[in-house]
Amino acid sequence: MASQSLSIITGDLEAQQAAANVDSAMSSVIVRTAPVVTVMVSSSLNTFTAEKRLDRGLTLAELKCKLELVVGSPASCMDLQLFSTDNAFIQDLDQDDALLGSYPVDNGCRIHVIDKSGTRAGEYEDLSKVEKYELSQEAYEKRSDSVRSFLKKNKLGKFNEEEAAEKSAEQQRKLEEDKLAAEAVTPGSRCEVRVVGQPTKRGTVMYVGLTDFKPGVWVGVKYDEPLGKHDGSVEGKRYFTCSPKYGAFVKPQFVVVGDFPEEDYGLDDEM
C-alpha cells in the first residue's frame, strides 16, 4: 500500500510539473499584430463608405472623436458595430475605455456608426438644403479685397490693356499666316503631312477653315492609314466623315498638296 501511495503522489507531482511547463510556455508566447489597421467606415447618416487607417492603440472613445469628421455625427451620439470582411456582423464595440486592438479588427473589416442624435439619414448629402452665400456682380465690383480688384489695381490679366492688345495682335498675325498657308490647300486634294519629329503621312484634304475646338485655320485630313485621332468629328461637332482613327486636324503650314498617290506596300503581289 505504501508503494502504491508513493506511485500516486509521484504521478501527481509529474502532472503538476507538466502543467507548470505548459503555463510557462504559454506565458512566453507573444502575439504580434500590426499597430495600424485599415478598415471601411460606414454610417446610418449617409450612403458612402470611407477607407481609414486606424491605430489599434486608440480607445473607442478616441476613435469616436476621430469619426466625427468622417460621418458628421457627434461622438457622444455614436454606437459602433464591427462587421467582417465579408460583411457579416461580428459584435458591438461598446466599451469606450477598451482599445480598438482588443477587438477582432482586421484589414478590410467595416466599422458601422449608428447615429443617435436624431439627424435624418441623408441630411448631410442633400446640397440643395445647404444655405449658400451669393454676391451680385454689382456688389462684387465694389469690393476692394477681391481678386478682380487686385487684377485691376495691378493691371494684370485681361485688365492689362497693353498686354491684351499685344495678344490680340499676335492672334491676328497668326490667323493671317494660317489663311495665307491655307490658300494652296483645297478640299479633295491629295497631300502629305510633314510635321517635324514625326513620320510623313499621306492622305486627302477633307476640310479647310475655322474650328470650334481651337482658334485659327485648320486642315482636316483623311489619312490613307489609321494614323489619325478621330473620324472627322471633334468635341461633338462633325467637320468631315472618315473611318475611326483615319482623321486628323493639322495646321496648314504642315500640309503639302501635290501628286501623292496612296503608298503601294506590295501586298497585291503576295497570296
Side-chain angles (χ1 to χ4, degrees):
M1 291 295 292
S3 176
Q4 185 177 2
S5 298
L6 179 60
S7 176
I8 294 173
I9 294 173
T10 302
D12 290 343
L13 290 174
E14 290 177 351
Q16 292 175 5
Q17 183 62 43
N21 291 338
V22 170
D23 290 340
S24 177
M26 290 295 291
S27 64
S28 64
V29 174
I30 300 175
V31 179
R32 298 185 182 277
T33 58
V36 176
V37 63
T38 301
V39 301
M40 303 303 296
V41 177
S42 61
S43 169
S44 61
L45 288 181
N46 42 56
T47 57
F48 67 85
T49 58
E51 184 180 81
K52 292 295 176 182
R53 287 169 53 85
L54 301 175
D55 191 327
R56 294 180 189 270
L58 289 173
T59 65
L60 293 190
E62 293 170 331
L63 172 61
K64 289 179 179 180
C65 292
K66 286 183 174 293
L67 294 180
E68 281 185 335
L69 298 178
V70 180
V71 301
S73 179
S76 59
C77 299
M78 290 184 189
D79 280 342
L80 304 182
Q81 292 180 331
L82 179 62
F83 288 80
S84 67
T85 54
D86 56 0
N87 212 32
F89 175 75
I90 298 177
Q91 67 180 100
D92 292 321
L93 307 181
D94 51 8
Q95 298 293 326
D96 282 352
D97 57 347
L99 298 180
L100 177 62
S102 66
Y103 291 92
V105 182
D106 293 320
N107 288 330
C109 285
R110 179 168 63 92
I111 295 178
H112 182 64
V113 180
I114 299 175
D115 176 76
K116 300 184 298 180
S117 67
T119 303
R120 295 192 306 275
E123 183 172 343
Y124 297 138
E125 294 180 313
D126 189 353
L127 299 182
S128 65
K129 297 180 179 180
V130 178
E131 184 177 354
K132 301 174 180 62
Y133 178 75
E134 296 182 357
L135 188 67
S136 66
Q137 287 293 333
E138 293 77 10
Y140 183 69
E141 189 70 32
K142 294 177 181 179
R143 295 182 68 99
S144 60
D145 57 350
S146 65
V147 174
R148 182 182 299 174
S149 175
F150 176 82
L151 294 176
K152 280 184 176 181
K153 187 181 300 183
N154 294 277
K155 295 184 178 180
L156 298 174
K158 65 179 182 181
F159 299 105
N160 186 332
E161 296 180 0
E162 182 178 346
E163 182 180 335
E166 290 179 358
K167 185 179 292 185
S168 177
E170 178 66 14
Q171 290 178 346
Q172 186 62 33
R173 183 184 64 78
K174 288 183 177 180
L175 180 60
E176 293 301 325
E177 289 180 356
D178 287 351
K179 288 181 178 179
L180 183 63
E183 288 181 356
V185 182
T186 56
S189 302
R190 291 289 298 169
C191 69
E192 281 189 346
V193 175
R194 303 172 182 174
V195 179
V196 177
Q198 298 182 16
T200 299
K201 291 173 279 191
R202 288 188 178 184
T204 302
V205 177
M206 303 295 290
Y207 176 89
V208 181
L210 302 176
T211 65
D212 291 342
F213 57 85
K214 278 188 177 180
V217 177
W218 291 82
V219 177
V221 178
K222 179 181 73 174
Y223 289 132
D224 296 338
E225 302 294 328
L227 304 173
K229 296 182 177 180
H230 49 72
D231 62 353
S233 176
V234 179
E235 296 180 357
K237 181 173 180 178
R238 180 162 298 283
Y239 296 90
F240 61 92
T241 301
C242 66
S243 299
K245 298 296 183 180
Y246 277 78
F249 278 96
V250 293
K251 299 301 287 184
Q253 293 88 339
F254 302 121
V255 179
V256 178
V257 174
D259 183 15
F260 300 114
E262 291 190 32
E263 296 282 3
D264 183 6
Y265 297 100
L267 297 180
D268 292 339
D269 298 333
E270 298 181 1
M271 295 298 292

